[in-house]
Amino acid sequence: MTAAKFDSLYVFFNDCKHEIEKLEPIWKRMRLKMSFQRMYTLQESQVFKECLPADNSHDQEALRLSLASLSDIPGVGEKVRKVLIDHFGTEAVALKVILDFRVDLVAAVPEIGAKQAVNIVKAAFEQQFGASANTILRSADLRKIFDSILGIIRGYANTSYARDKLLLYFPLPPEKINVIHERQRYFADAIDVAKRLSEDQRASLKQQLTNVRGLYRRVKPRRLEGRVIITNDDKVFDRLVKEGIDKWCPVYILSEGENAIDYAKGYDLVLYISPIGMYDDSVNMLDNVEILGKDWTIDEVLPEMTIGFYSRNYRVIDASSRLAELFSNLPKNESVQAFIDSLDLDSLLQVGKALKNINEEGDVAQSIDKELDRYRRAVKNFPTAVAETESWLNEEIKARIAKSQITLGGQQIITILQSADMDGADSSALRNMLPAEIIETFTTTIQEAEDKLVDILGLTPREADWVTGIISEEIALPVKLIPAQINDLEGRLRRFFSDRQFRLIKKVSGQLDKLTDVVTEAVQTLLEFDLFLAVGLFGADYDLHIPNIGLEYSGIGVEQATNLFLKESMLRGRHRKVQPIDYVIGNSLFKPDGTNGENCAILSGANSGGKTTTIQTLAQIATMAQTGFPVPAENAYLPPFEEIYFFYKSRGMVSAGAFETTLKQFADIVVSEKSKLALFDEVEAITEPGSAANVIAGLIEILQRDPHSCAVICSHLAKEIAAATDVPIRIDGIEARGLDENLELMVDRTPRFGTIARSTPELIVERLTKLSKGKKKEVYEKILENLLRQRKEM
């Protein structure tokens, strides 16, 4: 059983479950329940073997563990489990939806919101994948950073599927290094393609992918007015009911002695199914009947069921077929070729052509068949055409009689005719009483009115006879159209329209039915491609590169690295050009002067100099690299860390309780035997400056002894920390080089290794000194003199 067939089957079961109570009469309900129960048992016996569909995702091989129950998913308790089963019908169906990453379908479950749906799908994925995001992302601040990165990438996705699935990407542990490298190759191809796309190609892909979403498998029945299905066989009737055909149109079974014509009256199209080839003589009296024998199929009596799948997913499938045309001209590489190979481009082009024959309502589209369009207009315009003809006829007769030159005045004749109609006078007697010219006026105008109706309805010369006799020949005003004749004409037009549309729909259905699997596989491929393209465009726009991540490194080194959040601000026009930086902590291939593989460093520098941005950039690169994403650095070398920590500066002096909590966090970090990267932003804010230096010094002394740890601590207390410990500490500095011609600070954002940063206040005071005059200038000069003297004494 294919994934597509399985999906269709389980949705059918679910639909049946919800619709059983609506079926009438009672015996019909009981019969369907028994049939449903047998099929339900069959589904349960096979479902776990076929729970995971074929997937184009490059991560599919990484899914090693299996889930046999919703209870195996962390965070899914008995209450949530029951809600999911009630909504999807069975536990197997609910589990499959979750393992298909369908966050949108889970979010649609009552009592489960979007956030919880993401958590459920993510937890299932992590459980099955054998890794968890929080295993690597060990601090709340770091998780916020990574969530923001995902937010930027998700902004490039066009489909909810890609946006949701990107939430399942997170930094992987060292044992998943092969998956990381596999993702790197995949996303390197994505960037390669994105960079080679023309603006027109990029815009076209976005336009079409925006319309792609997961396919709705369930076809909603719509009442087909004017169609009836009649059979003389119990088994045929049972099958029609079981397949839900009676939700689309009436289905009748003939009892002994009943005639088909009794059920067929008033219908535009009659389908008579007789497996034994026998039917009553009344069938021959019908001009709108199609007889089917023992080899009949559901598609023959209800092609709209197949068409319904395409009409409900019209825009998705149309976009998919258009994307097939675009794919043939995409820049090629290994990954793109894999997408192309999984798409049956020729068949998708056929789908696109066939789809043009129908509209989003599931009817034959306009301008596909001239005859059908003619009948469609005739049926639609019929009430208006009849009213317009009748009005014109009476006004025209009145006008012509009024202009007549006979002895009896025209207005008098009109009054006589109107009185005759009200009094029920004999029409033949009036003919004998009225002048021949008046009778001729009636006869001629009635004929012209019939011709006018023929024109309005667009009937052919051969069909013009259908109108003959529709207008009463009685001599009276107003002249009336005969209701029975009107009904006959309208019924005939409807029958011709229904018959022609049915045959055309059946032809299109036959073309599309054999292409449904192609469409299903194509949509899944395109949803995966949207994620691929999103990362590629993100990488191209942000000038990202594939990092060198390997187990041979114990530290992280980056060259020409940029902060992703500053780059985002720049791309949106809110920030000037971002200055790239170089930095290293621990052993890596990047060994700049002033470093010797130290695994701990203090980063000094004034406020707004770039200390926080530097360690934030390291956090971005480390988490993105371990996720398999490209990174914002021309070169990056790092290992897959087992733990990564990031702590932003605390706001103000923290309480004693908070201080204790922070110390416990630091203790957890230093005692952990796992390889780790720890990044701290001005941790001296946790207590008073004098004590803070001693706390940080102790932290560094322990971390330095662990060869698997790397730590960078931003601090204004570099000198105090160095004085508080006997071990050598590398101190790096970010400082301003001076003032430019506009007296603005010139800051070199790349830290200077082994150098304490020059204090920015000196430059700020120098700037104020040069901009001021008089006594204020004297004040600034005195302050600057003291600052410079203090620096020389250090």
Side-chain angles (χ1 to χ4, degrees):
M1 186 188 299
T2 65
K5 289 180 180 176
F6 175 82
D7 279 358
S8 299
L9 191 60
Y10 84 63
V11 171
F12 168 73
F13 294 150
N14 198 38
D15 293 346
C16 285
K17 178 177 179 293
H18 290 295
E19 295 298 328
I20 281 174
E21 298 304 323
K22 299 178 183 178
L23 293 175
E24 293 295 337
I26 298 298
W27 64 268
K28 215 184 286 184
R29 182 190 308 135
M30 294 304 298
R31 188 173 299 179
L32 188 56
K33 276 186 177 178
M34 290 187 291
S35 174
F36 173 78
Q37 184 61 45
R38 289 194 299 270
M39 297 178 73
Y40 174 89
T41 304
L42 175 64
Q43 178 208 27
E44 287 286 84
S45 68
Q46 296 179 350
V47 69
F48 295 119
K49 296 179 182 178
E50 306 183 45
C51 196
L52 281 175
D55 191 345
N56 293 313
S57 169
H58 58 286
D59 274 337
Q60 192 66 27
E61 291 183 4
L63 301 179
R64 304 296 185 195
L65 307 177
S66 61
L67 295 172
S69 168
L70 290 171
S71 300
D72 293 338
I73 302 173
V76 174
E78 188 57 33
K79 180 181 178 181
V80 174
R81 177 177 176 271
K82 185 178 184 303
V83 168
L84 289 168
I85 293 174
D86 288 346
H87 181 78
F88 291 109
T90 72
E91 184 170 28
V93 172
L95 194 60
K96 184 185 185 303
V97 169
I98 292 170
L99 294 177
D100 279 351
F101 318 129
R102 293 303 302 272
V103 175
D104 56 333
L105 296 183
V106 179
V109 177
E111 301 182 41
I112 293 182
K115 186 175 182 179
Q116 188 177 9
V118 169
N119 291 337
I120 290 172
V121 174
K122 189 173 182 180
F125 177 80
E126 291 177 345
Q127 182 76 5
Q128 193 180 38
F129 192 71
S132 167
N134 290 348
T135 301
I136 309 296
L137 305 173
R138 300 292 292 170
S139 65
D141 289 338
L142 183 63
R143 288 190 284 272
K144 289 178 182 178
I145 289 174
F146 188 71
D147 287 345
S148 297
I149 294 170
L150 285 182
I152 296 173
I153 305 174
R154 293 175 75 224
Y156 281 88
N158 301 288
T159 64
S160 60
Y161 175 90
R163 286 190 291 271
D164 291 339
K165 191 170 181 181
L166 278 166
L167 295 173
L168 305 182
Y169 280 77
F170 51 82
L172 301 178
E175 57 267 26
K176 297 289 184 180
I177 188 70
N178 291 337
V179 178
I180 295 173
H181 288 156
E182 183 184 352
R183 288 181 178 180
Q184 286 185 330
R185 289 188 290 270
Y186 185 68
F187 291 133
D189 281 353
I191 295 174
D192 170 61
V193 171
K195 286 181 176 179
R196 291 192 284 152
L197 288 175
S198 68
E199 287 301 318
D200 286 344
Q201 284 178 311
R202 183 166 174 168
S204 297
L205 286 170
K206 179 178 179 63
Q207 180 183 4
Q208 299 306 327
L209 283 169
T210 299
N211 289 316
V212 178
R213 53 160 172 74
L215 293 168
Y216 292 123
R217 310 255 180 216
R218 180 187 176 190
V219 177
K220 291 183 178 180
R222 63 185 182 101
R223 206 65 182 172
L224 301 172
E225 299 298 334
R227 185 180 308 178
V228 64
I229 301 175
I230 302 172
T231 183
N232 55 9
D233 186 275
D234 285 341
K235 291 182 179 179
V236 171
F237 179 77
D238 289 348
R239 183 182 172 193
L240 290 169
V241 172
K242 186 178 74 174
E243 296 286 353
I245 307 303
D246 56 338
K247 297 174 186 175
W248 295 74
C249 65
V251 176
Y252 297 119
I253 183 169
L254 298 179
S255 300
E256 187 175 350
E258 291 184 317
N259 293 322
I261 197 169
D262 297 328
Y263 288 94
K265 289 178 181 178
Y267 289 100
D268 304 327
L269 178 64
V270 179
L271 302 175
Y272 189 99
I273 306 174
S274 179
I276 58 177
M278 296 179 61
Y279 45 87
D280 62 88
D281 293 337
S282 70
V283 173
N284 296 322
M285 301 171 61
L286 301 171
D287 63 355
N288 59 336
V289 65
E290 181 170 331
I291 300 174
L292 303 170
K294 63 179 182 179
D295 296 326
W296 71 280
T297 65
I298 293 296
D299 283 339
E300 283 185 289
V301 298
L302 195 67
E304 288 84 359
M305 189 171 283
T306 295
I307 294 296
F309 168 78
Y310 284 88
S311 62
R312 191 175 186 201
N313 297 290
Y314 191 96
R315 297 186 185 184
V316 179
I317 298 172
D318 181 55
S320 300
S321 63
R322 293 177 187 273
L323 283 164
E325 297 180 40
L326 295 175
F327 262 62
S328 58
N329 295 318
L330 285 182
K332 304 294 189 297
N333 57 35
E334 184 178 352
S335 297
V336 172
Q337 191 60 52
F339 280 113
I340 293 174
D341 291 343
S342 63
L343 294 172
D344 188 339
L345 298 182
D346 291 338
S347 294
L348 287 172
L349 293 177
Q350 291 180 36
V351 170
K353 292 178 181 177
L355 203 63
K356 289 181 173 64
N357 292 301
I358 62 172
N359 57 28
E360 293 187 46
E361 286 71 46
D363 297 320
V364 177
Q366 295 279 357
S367 305
I368 297 301
D369 184 89
K370 292 182 179 179
E371 284 295 281
L372 183 68
D373 287 346
R374 187 168 63 83
Y375 287 128
R376 193 199 318 265
R377 286 192 297 271
V379 170
K380 181 180 179 180
N381 298 333
F382 188 82
T384 303
V386 169
E388 184 179 327
T389 299
E390 188 173 25
S391 175
W392 177 87
L393 170 62
N394 282 287
E395 291 302 320
E396 190 66 18
I397 287 178
K398 289 178 184 179
R400 292 180 182 183
I401 292 176
K403 294 178 182 178
S404 63
Q405 300 298 317
I406 56 177
T407 304
L408 192 62
Q411 188 58 48
Q412 291 176 297
I413 295 174
I414 292 172
T415 301
I416 292 171
L417 291 170
Q418 290 173 333
S419 299
D421 176 67
M422 288 186 292
D423 296 339
D426 185 5
S427 178
S428 60
L430 280 175
R431 283 179 178 274
N432 295 328
M433 294 171 56
L434 292 171
E437 182 181 344
I438 300 301
I439 303 302
E440 180 63 24
T441 297
F442 267 85
T443 303
T444 302
T445 310
I446 287 173
Q447 181 59 54
E448 290 177 11
E450 289 180 346
D451 293 341
K452 183 177 182 65
L453 184 59
V454 167
D455 290 339
I456 295 174
L457 294 176
L459 303 182
T460 65
R462 185 176 179 179
E463 296 165 345
D465 290 342
W466 300 350
V467 175
T468 302
I470 198 172
I471 302 175
S472 172
E473 294 182 354
E474 292 184 0
I475 304 300
L477 284 177
V479 179
K480 298 179 180 178
L481 275 65
I482 303 172
Q485 296 288 81
I486 292 173
N487 292 337
D488 286 347
L489 175 58
E490 184 177 21
R492 180 173 291 188
L493 290 172
R494 287 186 175 278
R495 289 194 297 274
F496 272 76
F497 169 70
S498 296
D499 179 71
R500 193 167 189 88
Q501 171 150 278
F502 178 72
R503 296 183 189 284
L504 289 170
I505 282 286
K506 193 154 62 170
K507 180 181 177 181
V508 177
S509 172
Q511 295 171 346
L512 291 175
D513 184 50
K514 59 186 179 183
L515 297 171
T516 301
D517 285 344
V518 171
V519 168
T520 302
E521 292 170 11
V523 169
Q524 183 60 39
T525 297
L526 293 171
L527 291 172
E528 291 292 342
F529 177 78
D530 186 44
L531 188 152
F532 172 83
L533 183 63
V535 177
L537 294 173
F538 165 63
D541 286 354
Y542 283 76
D543 192 25
L544 305 186
H545 302 270
I546 302 301
N548 187 334
I549 184 169
L551 300 174
E552 66 271 24
Y553 305 123
S554 61
I556 176 170
V558 298
E559 296 180 272
Q560 294 296 289
T562 55
N563 186 280
L564 204 67
F565 303 152
L566 292 183
K567 189 66 174 283
E568 178 192 28
S569 182
M570 186 194 80
L571 291 174
R572 295 187 177 186
R574 299 197 298 259
H575 196 279
R576 291 178 295 179
K577 184 178 179 180
V578 179
Q579 187 181 130
I581 65 166
D582 299 338
Y583 198 71
V584 64
I585 190 70
N587 284 309
S588 78
L589 279 181
F590 181 47
K591 301 180 184 297
D593 293 340
T595 67
N596 191 30
E598 300 90 350
N599 68 332
C600 290
I602 297 174
L603 185 57
S604 64
N607 292 330
S608 302
K611 301 189 305 298
T612 303
T613 300
T614 296
I615 61 171
Q616 188 185 71
T617 302
L618 291 179
Q620 292 171 352
I621 291 173
T623 55
M624 292 172 72
Q626 285 192 223
T627 306
F629 290 145
V631 301
E634 286 190 10
N635 296 302
Y637 312 93
L638 71 158
F641 293 101
E642 293 177 280
E643 296 177 342
I644 305 176
Y645 299 84
F646 185 97
F647 297 94
Y648 280 118
K649 174 184 176 181
S650 297
R651 301 299 177 187
M653 187 81 69
V654 298
S655 66
F659 175 59
E660 180 180 344
T661 300
T662 304
L663 285 181
K664 288 180 178 179
Q665 281 184 306
F666 290 171
D668 289 338
I669 295 171
V670 297
V671 301
S672 170
E673 296 180 356
K674 295 181 179 180
S675 63
K676 66 186 80 69
L677 172 65
L679 305 166
F680 304 90
D681 184 21
E682 297 188 23
V683 290
E684 58 260 31
I686 64 173
T687 186
E688 61 273 5
S691 299
N694 292 315
V695 170
I696 298 170
L699 182 64
I700 290 177
E701 288 177 6
I702 299 175
L703 287 172
Q704 277 191 340
R705 293 198 296 266
D706 181 2
H708 302 296
S709 295
C710 290
V712 180
I713 302 174
C714 298
S715 178
H716 291 287
L717 304 177
K719 294 185 294 295
E720 291 84 349
I721 295 169
T725 179
D726 295 329
V727 301
I729 299 176
R730 193 183 92 193
I731 301 177
D732 304 327
I734 300 174
E735 65 178 19
R737 299 192 304 272
L739 300 173
D740 62 16
E741 58 187 10
N742 297 317
L743 298 180
E744 296 291 340
L745 284 174
M746 295 185 296
V747 180
D748 186 355
R749 304 294 179 183
T750 292
R752 297 176 64 186
F753 301 106
T755 303
I756 297 179
R758 180 187 177 189
S759 177
T760 304
E762 300 168 22
L763 295 174
I764 294 175
V765 176
E766 182 183 342
R767 178 174 180 269
L768 292 173
T769 300
K770 292 180 178 180
L771 291 174
S772 302
K773 296 179 181 179
K775 292 185 178 181
K776 284 187 177 181
K777 185 178 183 71
E778 293 176 5
V779 173
Y780 295 137
E781 286 176 341
K782 181 59 179 177
I783 295 174
L784 181 60
E785 178 184 339
N786 290 339
L787 287 172
L788 292 174
R789 183 174 62 252
Q790 182 184 12
R791 185 174 182 85
K792 289 178 181 179
E793 293 173 353
M794 290 171 56

